[in-house]
mmCIF file of all heavy atoms in Angstrom:
data_model
loop_
_atom_site.group_PDB
_atom_site.id
_atom_site.type_symbol
_atom_site.label_atom_id
_atom_site.label_comp_id
_atom_site.label_asym_id
_atom_site.label_seq_id
_atom_site.Cartn_x
_atom_site.Cartn_y
_atom_site.Cartn_z
ATOM 1 N N ILE V 24 0.860 -1.193 0.000
ATOM 2 C CA ILE V 24 0.000 0.000 0.000
ATOM 3 C C ILE V 24 0.890 1.234 0.000
ATOM 4 O O ILE V 24 1.625 1.490 0.962
ATOM 5 C CB ILE V 24 -0.958 0.010 1.210
ATOM 6 C CG1 ILE V 24 -1.910 -1.190 1.136
ATOM 7 C CG2 ILE V 24 -1.758 1.317 1.253
ATOM 8 C CD1 ILE V 24 -2.854 -1.331 2.318
ATOM 9 N N LYS V 25 0.860 1.970 -1.110
ATOM 10 C CA LYS V 25 1.692 3.167 -1.248
ATOM 11 C C LYS V 25 0.783 4.359 -1.549
ATOM 12 O O LYS V 25 0.020 4.331 -2.521
ATOM 13 C CB LYS V 25 2.690 2.999 -2.421
ATOM 14 C CG LYS V 25 3.492 1.685 -2.389
ATOM 15 C CD LYS V 25 4.744 1.818 -1.554
ATOM 16 C CE LYS V 25 5.356 0.471 -1.179
ATOM 17 N NZ LYS V 25 5.882 -0.297 -2.273
ATOM 18 N N ASP V 26 0.856 5.385 -0.708
ATOM 19 C CA ASP V 26 0.056 6.608 -0.916
ATOM 20 C C ASP V 26 -1.433 6.297 -1.101
ATOM 21 O O ASP V 26 -2.094 6.823 -2.000
ATOM 22 C CB ASP V 26 0.552 7.393 -2.149
ATOM 23 C CG ASP V 26 2.027 7.747 -2.018
ATOM 24 O OD1 ASP V 26 2.445 8.061 -0.888
ATOM 25 O OD2 ASP V 26 2.747 7.696 -3.028
ATOM 26 N N GLY V 27 -1.932 5.403 -0.273
ATOM 27 C CA GLY V 27 -3.361 5.113 -0.312
ATOM 28 C C GLY V 27 -3.807 4.254 -1.478
ATOM 29 O O GLY V 27 -4.999 4.106 -1.735
ATOM 30 N N ARG V 28 -2.852 3.688 -2.220
ATOM 31 C CA ARG V 28 -3.194 2.794 -3.344
ATOM 32 C C ARG V 28 -2.430 1.485 -3.191
ATOM 33 O O ARG V 28 -1.355 1.459 -2.592
ATOM 34 C CB ARG V 28 -2.815 3.431 -4.688
ATOM 35 C CG ARG V 28 -3.498 4.762 -4.975
ATOM 36 C CD ARG V 28 -2.952 5.392 -6.251
ATOM 37 N NE ARG V 28 -3.338 4.622 -7.425
ATOM 38 C CZ ARG V 28 -4.525 4.748 -8.036
ATOM 39 N NH1 ARG V 28 -5.414 5.589 -7.566
ATOM 40 N NH2 ARG V 28 -4.809 4.035 -9.097
ATOM 41 N N ILE V 29 -2.974 0.428 -3.785
ATOM 42 C CA ILE V 29 -2.270 -0.851 -3.750
ATOM 43 C C ILE V 29 -1.396 -0.965 -4.991
ATOM 44 O O ILE V 29 -1.861 -0.779 -6.113
ATOM 45 C CB ILE V 29 -3.269 -2.020 -3.660
ATOM 46 C CG1 ILE V 29 -3.972 -1.977 -2.297
ATOM 47 C CG2 ILE V 29 -2.562 -3.360 -3.847
ATOM 48 C CD1 ILE V 29 -5.032 -3.028 -2.097
ATOM 49 N N ASP V 30 -0.124 -1.264 -4.756
ATOM 50 C CA ASP V 30 0.855 -1.343 -5.847
ATOM 51 C C ASP V 30 1.498 -2.731 -5.819
ATOM 52 O O ASP V 30 2.246 -3.051 -4.892
ATOM 53 C CB ASP V 30 1.913 -0.239 -5.648
ATOM 54 C CG ASP V 30 3.021 -0.307 -6.700
ATOM 55 O OD1 ASP V 30 2.925 -1.156 -7.604
ATOM 56 O OD2 ASP V 30 3.976 0.479 -6.589
ATOM 57 N N PHE V 31 1.198 -3.534 -6.848
ATOM 58 C CA PHE V 31 1.704 -4.912 -6.874
ATOM 59 C C PHE V 31 2.927 -5.077 -7.767
ATOM 60 O O PHE V 31 3.225 -6.181 -8.219
ATOM 61 C CB PHE V 31 0.599 -5.873 -7.341
ATOM 62 C CG PHE V 31 -0.339 -6.281 -6.240
ATOM 63 C CD1 PHE V 31 -1.629 -6.704 -6.536
ATOM 64 C CD2 PHE V 31 0.053 -6.257 -4.916
ATOM 65 C CE1 PHE V 31 -2.502 -7.094 -5.522
ATOM 66 C CE2 PHE V 31 -0.800 -6.646 -3.904
ATOM 67 C CZ PHE V 31 -2.084 -7.056 -4.205
ATOM 68 N N GLU V 32 3.637 -3.982 -8.001
ATOM 69 C CA GLU V 32 4.816 -4.073 -8.868
ATOM 70 C C GLU V 32 5.830 -5.067 -8.304
ATOM 71 O O GLU V 32 6.397 -5.887 -9.022
ATOM 72 C CB GLU V 32 5.464 -2.688 -9.008
ATOM 73 C CG GLU V 32 6.509 -2.654 -10.118
ATOM 74 C CD GLU V 32 7.186 -1.288 -10.242
ATOM 75 O OE1 GLU V 32 6.592 -0.286 -9.798
ATOM 76 O OE2 GLU V 32 8.302 -1.251 -10.764
ATOM 77 N N ALA V 33 6.046 -5.013 -6.973
ATOM 78 C CA ALA V 33 7.028 -5.913 -6.351
ATOM 79 C C ALA V 33 6.572 -7.368 -6.431
ATOM 80 O O ALA V 33 7.385 -8.288 -6.506
ATOM 81 C CB ALA V 33 7.262 -5.512 -4.891
ATOM 82 N N VAL V 34 5.252 -7.580 -6.407
ATOM 83 C CA VAL V 34 4.717 -8.942 -6.488
ATOM 84 C C VAL V 34 4.846 -9.471 -7.916
ATOM 85 O O VAL V 34 4.970 -10.670 -8.153
ATOM 86 C CB VAL V 34 3.238 -8.960 -6.020
ATOM 87 C CG1 VAL V 34 2.632 -10.355 -6.137
ATOM 88 C CG2 VAL V 34 3.128 -8.447 -4.587
ATOM 89 N N GLY V 35 4.815 -8.536 -8.876
ATOM 90 C CA GLY V 35 5.010 -8.918 -10.280
ATOM 91 C C GLY V 35 3.732 -9.288 -11.004
ATOM 92 O O GLY V 35 3.759 -10.026 -11.989
ATOM 93 N N ILE V 36 2.586 -8.768 -10.528
ATOM 94 C CA ILE V 36 1.322 -9.080 -11.193
ATOM 95 C C ILE V 36 0.724 -7.792 -11.758
ATOM 96 O O ILE V 36 0.680 -6.774 -11.067
ATOM 97 C CB ILE V 36 0.353 -9.807 -10.232
ATOM 98 C CG1 ILE V 36 -0.827 -10.402 -10.999
ATOM 99 C CG2 ILE V 36 -0.125 -8.930 -9.107
ATOM 100 C CD1 ILE V 36 -1.617 -11.422 -10.202
ATOM 101 N N THR V 37 0.319 -7.828 -13.018
ATOM 102 C CA THR V 37 -0.164 -6.615 -13.680
ATOM 103 C C THR V 37 -1.698 -6.572 -13.673
ATOM 104 O O THR V 37 -2.364 -7.589 -13.460
ATOM 105 C CB THR V 37 0.312 -6.566 -15.146
ATOM 106 O OG1 THR V 37 -0.328 -7.667 -15.854
ATOM 107 C CG2 THR V 37 1.824 -6.712 -15.243
ATOM 108 N N GLU V 38 -2.234 -5.379 -13.972
ATOM 109 C CA GLU V 38 -3.692 -5.227 -14.001
ATOM 110 C C GLU V 38 -4.303 -6.063 -15.119
ATOM 111 O O GLU V 38 -5.376 -6.633 -14.968
ATOM 112 C CB GLU V 38 -4.069 -3.743 -14.147
ATOM 113 C CG GLU V 38 -3.676 -2.921 -12.928
ATOM 114 C CD GLU V 38 -4.384 -1.570 -12.869
ATOM 115 O OE1 GLU V 38 -5.150 -1.264 -13.800
ATOM 116 O OE2 GLU V 38 -4.176 -0.852 -11.878
ATOM 117 N N ASP V 39 -3.608 -6.145 -16.263
ATOM 118 C CA ASP V 39 -4.119 -6.952 -17.377
ATOM 119 C C ASP V 39 -4.231 -8.426 -16.984
ATOM 120 O O ASP V 39 -5.189 -9.114 -17.357
ATOM 121 C CB ASP V 39 -3.211 -6.816 -18.616
ATOM 122 C CG ASP V 39 -3.385 -5.452 -19.282
ATOM 123 O OD1 ASP V 39 -4.406 -4.793 -18.984
ATOM 124 O OD2 ASP V 39 -2.505 -5.045 -20.065
ATOM 125 N N GLU V 40 -3.218 -8.899 -16.247
ATOM 126 C CA GLU V 40 -3.268 -10.300 -15.795
ATOM 127 C C GLU V 40 -4.458 -10.510 -14.862
ATOM 128 O O GLU V 40 -5.184 -11.505 -14.975
ATOM 129 C CB GLU V 40 -1.958 -10.668 -15.080
ATOM 130 C CG GLU V 40 -0.792 -10.898 -16.022
ATOM 131 C CD GLU V 40 0.504 -11.147 -15.274
ATOM 132 O OE1 GLU V 40 0.864 -10.345 -14.381
ATOM 133 O OE2 GLU V 40 1.156 -12.153 -15.583
ATOM 134 N N ILE V 41 -4.654 -9.571 -13.937
ATOM 135 C CA ILE V 41 -5.756 -9.695 -12.975
ATOM 136 C C ILE V 41 -7.099 -9.761 -13.702
ATOM 137 O O ILE V 41 -7.978 -10.543 -13.347
ATOM 138 C CB ILE V 41 -5.729 -8.520 -11.961
ATOM 139 C CG1 ILE V 41 -4.517 -8.673 -11.023
ATOM 140 C CG2 ILE V 41 -7.015 -8.446 -11.154
ATOM 141 C CD1 ILE V 41 -4.271 -7.501 -10.088
ATOM 142 N N LYS V 42 -7.241 -8.950 -14.752
ATOM 143 C CA LYS V 42 -8.494 -8.943 -15.523
ATOM 144 C C LYS V 42 -8.701 -10.271 -16.252
ATOM 145 O O LYS V 42 -9.827 -10.684 -16.512
ATOM 146 C CB LYS V 42 -8.480 -7.810 -16.561
ATOM 147 C CG LYS V 42 -8.708 -6.432 -15.964
ATOM 148 C CD LYS V 42 -8.599 -5.355 -17.043
ATOM 149 C CE LYS V 42 -8.636 -3.972 -16.398
ATOM 150 N NZ LYS V 42 -8.043 -2.954 -17.256
ATOM 151 N N GLY V 43 -7.593 -10.939 -16.617
ATOM 152 C CA GLY V 43 -7.686 -12.153 -17.440
ATOM 153 C C GLY V 43 -7.991 -13.434 -16.680
ATOM 154 O O GLY V 43 -8.363 -14.437 -17.284
ATOM 155 N N PHE V 44 -7.848 -13.425 -15.349
ATOM 156 C CA PHE V 44 -8.080 -14.670 -14.596
ATOM 157 C C PHE V 44 -9.571 -14.980 -14.509
ATOM 158 O O PHE V 44 -10.390 -14.106 -14.239
ATOM 159 C CB PHE V 44 -7.484 -14.579 -13.186
ATOM 160 C CG PHE V 44 -5.982 -14.471 -13.163
ATOM 161 C CD1 PHE V 44 -5.351 -13.450 -12.459
ATOM 162 C CD2 PHE V 44 -5.200 -15.385 -13.850
ATOM 163 C CE1 PHE V 44 -3.972 -13.340 -12.443
ATOM 164 C CE2 PHE V 44 -3.815 -15.283 -13.842
ATOM 165 C CZ PHE V 44 -3.195 -14.261 -13.135
ATOM 166 N N GLU V 45 -9.908 -16.257 -14.730
ATOM 167 C CA GLU V 45 -11.313 -16.679 -14.649
ATOM 168 C C GLU V 45 -11.597 -17.429 -13.350
ATOM 169 O O GLU V 45 -12.744 -17.646 -12.990
ATOM 170 C CB GLU V 45 -11.644 -17.601 -15.829
ATOM 171 C CG GLU V 45 -11.570 -16.891 -17.174
ATOM 172 C CD GLU V 45 -11.810 -17.839 -18.339
ATOM 173 O OE1 GLU V 45 -11.954 -19.072 -18.087
ATOM 174 O OE2 GLU V 45 -11.865 -17.361 -19.482
ATOM 175 N N GLN V 46 -10.533 -17.841 -12.666
ATOM 176 C CA GLN V 46 -10.707 -18.715 -11.503
ATOM 177 C C GLN V 46 -9.488 -18.539 -10.608
ATOM 178 O O GLN V 46 -8.399 -18.231 -11.086
ATOM 179 C CB GLN V 46 -10.793 -20.166 -12.011
ATOM 180 C CG GLN V 46 -10.585 -21.244 -10.979
ATOM 181 C CD GLN V 46 -11.890 -21.769 -10.443
ATOM 182 O OE1 GLN V 46 -12.855 -21.894 -11.164
ATOM 183 N NE2 GLN V 46 -11.936 -22.051 -9.153
ATOM 184 N N ILE V 47 -9.667 -18.731 -9.307
ATOM 185 C CA ILE V 47 -8.520 -18.744 -8.384
ATOM 186 C C ILE V 47 -8.531 -20.065 -7.629
ATOM 187 O O ILE V 47 -9.573 -20.494 -7.112
ATOM 188 C CB ILE V 47 -8.572 -17.569 -7.380
ATOM 189 C CG1 ILE V 47 -8.401 -16.225 -8.103
ATOM 190 C CG2 ILE V 47 -7.492 -17.712 -6.305
ATOM 191 C CD1 ILE V 47 -8.541 -15.009 -7.197
ATOM 192 N N TYR V 48 -7.374 -20.713 -7.587
ATOM 193 C CA TYR V 48 -7.192 -21.877 -6.705
ATOM 194 C C TYR V 48 -6.273 -21.431 -5.577
ATOM 195 O O TYR V 48 -5.224 -20.846 -5.840
ATOM 196 C CB TYR V 48 -6.536 -23.044 -7.443
ATOM 197 C CG TYR V 48 -7.296 -23.543 -8.653
ATOM 198 C CD1 TYR V 48 -6.828 -23.301 -9.946
ATOM 199 C CD2 TYR V 48 -8.478 -24.266 -8.504
ATOM 200 C CE1 TYR V 48 -7.525 -23.752 -11.053
ATOM 201 C CE2 TYR V 48 -9.183 -24.719 -9.617
ATOM 202 C CZ TYR V 48 -8.702 -24.458 -10.891
ATOM 203 O OH TYR V 48 -9.394 -24.901 -11.986
ATOM 204 N N ILE V 49 -6.660 -21.707 -4.349
ATOM 205 C CA ILE V 49 -5.764 -21.445 -3.205
ATOM 206 C C ILE V 49 -5.387 -22.809 -2.646
ATOM 207 O O ILE V 49 -6.262 -23.606 -2.271
ATOM 208 C CB ILE V 49 -6.444 -20.587 -2.122
ATOM 209 C CG1 ILE V 49 -6.899 -19.239 -2.706
ATOM 210 C CG2 ILE V 49 -5.481 -20.353 -0.948
ATOM 211 C CD1 ILE V 49 -7.698 -18.368 -1.739
ATOM 212 N N VAL V 50 -4.093 -23.102 -2.637
ATOM 213 C CA VAL V 50 -3.619 -24.427 -2.232
ATOM 214 C C VAL V 50 -2.626 -24.265 -1.088
ATOM 215 O O VAL V 50 -1.676 -23.488 -1.186
ATOM 216 C CB VAL V 50 -2.963 -25.159 -3.428
ATOM 217 C CG1 VAL V 50 -2.497 -26.541 -3.023
ATOM 218 C CG2 VAL V 50 -3.951 -25.258 -4.594
ATOM 219 N N ALA V 51 -2.863 -24.985 0.005
ATOM 220 C CA ALA V 51 -2.020 -24.821 1.194
ATOM 221 C C ALA V 51 -2.270 -25.974 2.158
ATOM 222 O O ALA V 51 -3.112 -26.844 1.902
ATOM 223 C CB ALA V 51 -2.333 -23.491 1.874
ATOM 224 N N CYS V 52 -1.541 -25.969 3.271
ATOM 225 C CA CYS V 52 -1.706 -26.990 4.319
ATOM 226 C C CYS V 52 -1.880 -26.299 5.680
ATOM 227 O O CYS V 52 -1.375 -25.188 5.882
ATOM 228 C CB CYS V 52 -0.455 -27.876 4.419
ATOM 229 S SG CYS V 52 0.014 -28.684 2.893
ATOM 230 N N GLY V 53 -2.545 -26.959 6.596
ATOM 231 C CA GLY V 53 -2.616 -26.476 7.985
ATOM 232 C C GLY V 53 -3.207 -25.090 8.100
ATOM 233 O O GLY V 53 -4.215 -24.757 7.478
ATOM 234 N N SER V 54 -2.542 -24.237 8.912
ATOM 235 C CA SER V 54 -3.053 -22.877 9.142
ATOM 236 C C SER V 54 -3.092 -22.062 7.863
ATOM 237 O O SER V 54 -3.963 -21.206 7.699
ATOM 238 C CB SER V 54 -2.184 -22.154 10.187
ATOM 239 O OG SER V 54 -2.392 -22.715 11.462
ATOM 240 N N ALA V 55 -2.159 -22.308 6.951
ATOM 241 C CA ALA V 55 -2.164 -21.577 5.677
ATOM 242 C C ALA V 55 -3.421 -21.914 4.875
ATOM 243 O O ALA V 55 -3.976 -21.067 4.175
ATOM 244 C CB ALA V 55 -0.909 -21.922 4.868
ATOM 245 N N TRP V 56 -3.919 -23.150 5.019
ATOM 246 C CA TRP V 56 -5.174 -23.541 4.378
ATOM 247 C C TRP V 56 -6.344 -22.770 5.008
ATOM 248 O O TRP V 56 -7.281 -22.363 4.326
ATOM 249 C CB TRP V 56 -5.374 -25.048 4.504
ATOM 250 C CG TRP V 56 -6.649 -25.572 3.923
ATOM 251 C CD1 TRP V 56 -6.993 -25.613 2.607
ATOM 252 C CD2 TRP V 56 -7.757 -26.124 4.636
ATOM 253 N NE1 TRP V 56 -8.257 -26.166 2.460
ATOM 254 C CE2 TRP V 56 -8.732 -26.489 3.682
ATOM 255 C CE3 TRP V 56 -8.009 -26.363 5.992
ATOM 256 C CZ2 TRP V 56 -9.953 -27.069 4.050
ATOM 257 C CZ3 TRP V 56 -9.220 -26.940 6.352
ATOM 258 C CH2 TRP V 56 -10.179 -27.283 5.382
ATOM 259 N N HIS V 57 -6.266 -22.547 6.321
ATOM 260 C CA HIS V 57 -7.322 -21.764 6.985
ATOM 261 C C HIS V 57 -7.326 -20.319 6.485
ATOM 262 O O HIS V 57 -8.387 -19.691 6.385
ATOM 263 C CB HIS V 57 -7.128 -21.789 8.512
ATOM 264 C CG HIS V 57 -7.233 -23.169 9.085
ATOM 265 N ND1 HIS V 57 -6.653 -23.518 10.293
ATOM 266 C CD2 HIS V 57 -7.825 -24.289 8.611
ATOM 267 C CE1 HIS V 57 -6.904 -24.802 10.528
ATOM 268 N NE2 HIS V 57 -7.608 -25.283 9.528
ATOM 269 N N VAL V 58 -6.147 -19.782 6.186
ATOM 270 C CA VAL V 58 -6.068 -18.450 5.564
ATOM 271 C C VAL V 58 -6.841 -18.470 4.246
ATOM 272 O O VAL V 58 -7.623 -17.563 3.936
ATOM 273 C CB VAL V 58 -4.595 -18.036 5.316
ATOM 274 C CG1 VAL V 58 -4.521 -16.799 4.427
ATOM 275 C CG2 VAL V 58 -3.882 -17.791 6.637
ATOM 276 N N GLY V 59 -6.619 -19.534 3.475
ATOM 277 C CA GLY V 59 -7.324 -19.682 2.199
ATOM 278 C C GLY V 59 -8.831 -19.758 2.386
ATOM 279 O O GLY V 59 -9.603 -19.179 1.610
ATOM 280 N N MET V 60 -9.264 -20.457 3.437
ATOM 281 C CA MET V 60 -10.706 -20.583 3.703
ATOM 282 C C MET V 60 -11.324 -19.212 3.976
ATOM 283 O O MET V 60 -12.406 -18.889 3.485
ATOM 284 C CB MET V 60 -10.944 -21.503 4.906
ATOM 285 C CG MET V 60 -10.629 -22.952 4.625
ATOM 286 S SD MET V 60 -11.767 -23.713 3.460
ATOM 287 C CE MET V 60 -13.200 -23.964 4.490
ATOM 288 N N ALA V 61 -10.635 -18.386 4.767
ATOM 289 C CA ALA V 61 -11.140 -17.034 5.051
ATOM 290 C C ALA V 61 -11.098 -16.189 3.776
ATOM 291 O O ALA V 61 -12.052 -15.464 3.461
ATOM 292 C CB ALA V 61 -10.310 -16.381 6.161
ATOM 293 N N ALA V 62 -10.008 -16.312 3.026
ATOM 294 C CA ALA V 62 -9.831 -15.508 1.813
ATOM 295 C C ALA V 62 -10.874 -15.857 0.761
ATOM 296 O O ALA V 62 -11.303 -14.999 -0.019
ATOM 297 C CB ALA V 62 -8.433 -15.724 1.246
ATOM 298 N N GLN V 63 -11.298 -17.116 0.744
ATOM 299 C CA GLN V 63 -12.302 -17.546 -0.233
ATOM 300 C C GLN V 63 -13.577 -16.713 -0.099
ATOM 301 O O GLN V 63 -14.121 -16.223 -1.085
ATOM 302 C CB GLN V 63 -12.615 -19.028 -0.006
ATOM 303 C CG GLN V 63 -13.679 -19.593 -0.933
ATOM 304 C CD GLN V 63 -13.994 -21.043 -0.593
ATOM 305 O OE1 GLN V 63 -13.922 -21.460 0.558
ATOM 306 N NE2 GLN V 63 -14.327 -21.816 -1.593
ATOM 307 N N TYR V 64 -14.039 -16.544 1.135
ATOM 308 C CA TYR V 64 -15.259 -15.752 1.360
ATOM 309 C C TYR V 64 -15.048 -14.307 0.900
ATOM 310 O O TYR V 64 -15.924 -13.696 0.289
ATOM 311 C CB TYR V 64 -15.630 -15.763 2.848
ATOM 312 C CG TYR V 64 -16.137 -17.097 3.354
ATOM 313 C CD1 TYR V 64 -15.330 -17.914 4.146
ATOM 314 C CD2 TYR V 64 -17.422 -17.536 3.046
ATOM 315 C CE1 TYR V 64 -15.795 -19.139 4.618
ATOM 316 C CE2 TYR V 64 -17.893 -18.760 3.514
ATOM 317 C CZ TYR V 64 -17.079 -19.557 4.298
ATOM 318 O OH TYR V 64 -17.543 -20.766 4.765
ATOM 319 N N VAL V 65 -13.877 -13.752 1.233
ATOM 320 C CA VAL V 65 -13.609 -12.340 0.936
ATOM 321 C C VAL V 65 -13.485 -12.120 -0.572
ATOM 322 O O VAL V 65 -14.096 -11.204 -1.138
ATOM 323 C CB VAL V 65 -12.324 -11.865 1.661
ATOM 324 C CG1 VAL V 65 -12.049 -10.400 1.367
ATOM 325 C CG2 VAL V 65 -12.453 -12.078 3.164
ATOM 326 N N LEU V 66 -12.692 -12.961 -1.233
ATOM 327 C CA LEU V 66 -12.475 -12.804 -2.684
ATOM 328 C C LEU V 66 -13.771 -13.000 -3.470
ATOM 329 O O LEU V 66 -14.075 -12.232 -4.391
ATOM 330 C CB LEU V 66 -11.417 -13.800 -3.161
ATOM 331 C CG LEU V 66 -9.958 -13.373 -3.003
ATOM 332 C CD1 LEU V 66 -9.037 -14.579 -3.017
ATOM 333 C CD2 LEU V 66 -9.558 -12.398 -4.104
ATOM 334 N N GLU V 67 -14.540 -14.027 -3.108
ATOM 335 C CA GLU V 67 -15.762 -14.287 -3.868
ATOM 336 C C GLU V 67 -16.768 -13.163 -3.686
ATOM 337 O O GLU V 67 -17.435 -12.749 -4.627
ATOM 338 C CB GLU V 67 -16.365 -15.638 -3.454
ATOM 339 C CG GLU V 67 -15.538 -16.801 -3.941
ATOM 340 C CD GLU V 67 -16.220 -18.152 -3.845
ATOM 341 O OE1 GLU V 67 -17.071 -18.339 -2.953
ATOM 342 O OE2 GLU V 67 -15.897 -19.027 -4.661
ATOM 343 N N ASP V 68 -16.865 -12.651 -2.462
ATOM 344 C CA ASP V 68 -17.844 -11.594 -2.200
ATOM 345 C C ASP V 68 -17.420 -10.265 -2.818
ATOM 346 O O ASP V 68 -18.216 -9.574 -3.448
ATOM 347 C CB ASP V 68 -18.031 -11.431 -0.681
ATOM 348 C CG ASP V 68 -19.182 -10.492 -0.367
ATOM 349 O OD1 ASP V 68 -20.239 -10.635 -0.994
ATOM 350 O OD2 ASP V 68 -19.017 -9.611 0.481
#
């Protein structure tokens, strides 16, 4: 978060790529899987 905006340059994902995705898979184990479970509700909504 830079100057009140989200900047994913360091992550390496562009806006065009974000627009092109049709589906997200979150894959993890243990507590990281629980993060995915919470994120699923947030992303879908």
Side-chain angles (χ1 to χ4, degrees):
I24 297 177
K25 310 273 164 66
D26 303 322
R28 301 174 68 83
I29 293 177
D30 177 4
F31 277 156
E32 192 181 338
V34 178
I36 193 165
T37 66
E38 294 197 358
D39 287 343
E40 284 175 309
I41 290 173
K42 284 177 188 158
F44 295 127
E45 295 176 356
Q46 163 97 37
I47 294 176
Y48 301 108
I49 301 175
V50 181
C52 304
S54 289
W56 178 68
H57 298 157
V58 169
M60 290 292 284
Q63 178 183 32
Y64 290 105
V65 181
L66 276 159
E67 289 193 331
D68 188 45

